């Protein structure tokens, strides 16, 4: 993939000086929903502007979407699953992209099913039908989840589905469960009229999956040339998250201002779910958001080895670079 896009990268290299000083377009992983509120708050509340940055947020099409965009230089910064980044870098050695700020300290990878379809716990997935979009970050981690829980994967029928049809198929009973992010699939089902007491959310992180989740990623060539801009971007992002943690209603409204077709109450719930389960973890609240624990990262790599054969020796320093993180005081969430 990276090789095919190298021509675009070369062309964009010539354009870097034109926008490197102040403009930092940001590639999201997904649509404008509750968890994207922090980035809009950082715009609306002047945090990016205070850092001398002009930031435009662009929606994505899945957890893998931002990685090649940032690797080619089409975007200097993005938001992506760090586990997918590991595999991308293994398959594209030397690609100029790395993670610089952990956001989902506890990943939202989940299996979301319906009791009426027989899904009540992990064991009930055996013999069921699972809907999974091939580019989905949660689906990418399913083999680790399955191995950690001794699932009989041969008994599970996997139905490839598209992102737009994932929850509707579950709502219609065409599949028994789906892979997805906990806060997205759950509330999408609610919006489709599925009773909340019929929905079961199995968070992989609660069942043996020790991975990290989505992080801010950066083009390393851009970062090397613009270290202060990258550090300022991360400082503004942390302030944006602190803002929406303090006032989720404000954050939800910031999302609806960009996505008028959305439901402000639903997006506030989605944002709160992400805050409570994925962002404001005990580690992040104590140490400030953005950093990682080296021992946990090493364990995550070892766990990934159980289901993915690295072509090159994995190296945590390739996947996460903490040098651009602002001081901890500037990353506190309260």
């Amino acid at each position: 993939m990276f090789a095919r896009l190298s021509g675009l990268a070369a062309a964009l290299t010539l354009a870097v000086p034109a926008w490197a000083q102040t403009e930092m377009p940001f590639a999201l992983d997904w649509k404008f929903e509750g968890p994207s509120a922090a980035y809009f708050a950082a715009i609306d509340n002047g945090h990016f502007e205070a850092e001398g940055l002009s930031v435009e947020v662009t929606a994505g099409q899945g957890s893998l979407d931002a990685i090649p965009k940032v690797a080619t230089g089409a975007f200097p910064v993005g938001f992506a699953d760090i586990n997918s980044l590991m595999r991308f870098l293994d398959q594209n050695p030397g690609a100029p992209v790395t993670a610089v700020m952990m956001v989902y300290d506890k990943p939202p990878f989940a299996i979301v099913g319906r009791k009426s379809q027989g899904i009540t716990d992990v064991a009930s997935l055996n013999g069921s039908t699972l809907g999974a979009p091939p580019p989905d970050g949660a689906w990418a981690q399913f083999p680790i989840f399955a191995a950690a829980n001794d699932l009989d994967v041969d008994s599970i029928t996997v139905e490839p589905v598209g992102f737009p049809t994932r929850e509707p198929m579950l709502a219609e009973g065409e599949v028994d469960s789906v892979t997805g992010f906990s806060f997205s699939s759950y509330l999408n089902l609610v919006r489709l009229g599925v009773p909340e007491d019929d929905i079961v959310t199995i968070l992989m992180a609660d069942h043996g999956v020790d991975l990290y989740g989505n992080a801010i990623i950066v083009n390393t060539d851009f970062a090397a040339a613009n270290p202060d801009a990258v550090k300022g971007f991360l400082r503004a992002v942390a302030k944006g998250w602190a803002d929406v943690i303090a006032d989720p209603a404000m954050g939800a409204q910031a999302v609806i201002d960009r996505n008028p077709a959305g439901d402000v109450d639903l997006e506030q719930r989605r944002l709160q779910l992400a805050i409570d389960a994925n962002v404001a973890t005990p580690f992040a609240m104590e140490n400030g958001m953005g950093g990682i624990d080296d021992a946990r990262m090493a364990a995550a790599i070892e766990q990934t080895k159980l289901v993915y054969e690295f072509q090159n020796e994995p190296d945590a320093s390739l996947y996460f670079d903490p040098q651009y993180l602002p001081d901890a005081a500037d990353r506190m969430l309260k």
Side-chain angles (χ1 to χ4, degrees):
M1 179 192 302
F2 184 69
R4 292 197 299 272
L5 294 171
S6 60
L8 174 61
L12 287 166
T13 299
L14 299 176
V16 167
W19 48 256
Q21 294 303 309
T22 58
E23 294 187 15
M24 291 185 68
F26 179 52
L28 272 183
D29 62 329
W30 192 233
K31 298 179 290 186
F32 293 170
E33 293 184 340
S36 58
Y39 314 112
F40 301 135
I43 293 173
D44 295 346
N45 296 341
H47 302 315
F48 287 129
E49 185 178 7
E51 298 290 346
L53 305 174
S54 175
V55 175
E56 180 179 353
V57 181
T58 299
Q61 299 180 6
S63 298
L64 314 181
D65 191 52
I67 297 172
K69 291 177 179 177
V70 174
T72 60
F75 286 79
V77 283
F79 188 58
D81 169 35
I82 195 170
N83 308 288
S84 300
L85 176 65
M86 283 186 207
R87 301 181 192 202
F88 179 88
L89 287 170
D90 183 55
Q91 295 160 17
N92 299 277
V97 57
T98 192
V100 290
M101 181 185 225
M102 185 56 59
V103 177
Y104 294 158
D105 183 57
K106 184 176 183 179
F109 308 133
I111 307 296
V112 180
R114 297 182 61 185
K115 294 177 184 177
S116 59
Q117 295 290 117
I119 304 302
T120 56
D121 56 15
V122 175
S124 66
L125 295 171
N126 288 321
S128 70
T129 299
L130 173 69
D136 179 41
W139 168 241
Q141 314 317 323
F142 181 79
I144 296 174
F145 169 77
N149 292 278
D150 296 320
L151 288 177
D152 181 4
V153 292
D154 291 337
S155 75
I156 300 173
T157 300
V158 178
E159 184 74 29
V161 300
F163 286 118
T165 60
R166 172 175 52 188
E167 288 85 15
M169 288 182 68
L170 181 54
E172 293 297 323
E174 297 178 45
V175 295
D176 304 318
S177 64
V178 296
T179 63
F181 278 13
S182 53
F183 47 72
S184 290
S185 290
Y186 180 89
L187 289 178
N188 289 346
L189 288 171
V190 171
R191 186 161 64 175
L192 290 169
V194 178
E196 292 195 49
D197 60 5
D198 189 36
I199 303 172
V200 174
T201 301
I202 303 171
L203 201 61
M204 294 184 188
D206 291 336
H207 296 276
V209 177
D210 297 327
L211 308 178
Y212 280 102
N214 278 40
I216 304 294
I217 63 173
V218 68
N219 180 282
T220 54
D221 293 337
F222 175 88
N226 303 274
D228 291 339
V230 173
K231 183 172 286 191
F233 183 91
L234 301 183
R235 187 161 39 239
V237 164
K239 290 179 179 178
W241 273 107
D243 288 349
V244 299
I245 289 171
D247 190 353
M250 174 275 296
Q253 186 58 53
V255 171
I256 298 304
D257 289 344
R258 277 86 174 177
N259 180 17
D263 181 306
V264 68
D265 293 332
L266 195 73
E267 295 313 324
Q268 184 173 339
R269 287 191 65 190
R270 200 189 309 272
L271 171 59
Q272 194 65 59
L273 287 171
I275 290 169
D276 293 343
N278 311 117
V279 178
T281 63
F283 181 88
M285 296 304 289
E286 179 178 350
N287 300 285
M289 75 171 296
I292 64 170
D293 177 80
D294 291 340
R296 179 181 165 191
M297 187 64 176
I301 292 172
E302 290 303 310
Q303 195 167 58
T304 301
K305 286 181 179 179
L306 298 175
V307 296
Y308 175 76
E309 185 175 352
F310 282 91
Q311 300 173 22
N312 305 282
E313 184 62 28
D315 180 354
S317 67
L318 297 176
Y319 316 136
F320 189 89
D321 185 350
Q323 70 170 302
Y324 301 104
L325 282 175
D327 294 340
D330 292 328
R331 297 184 279 114
M332 300 307 293
L333 296 175
K334 59 180 179 180

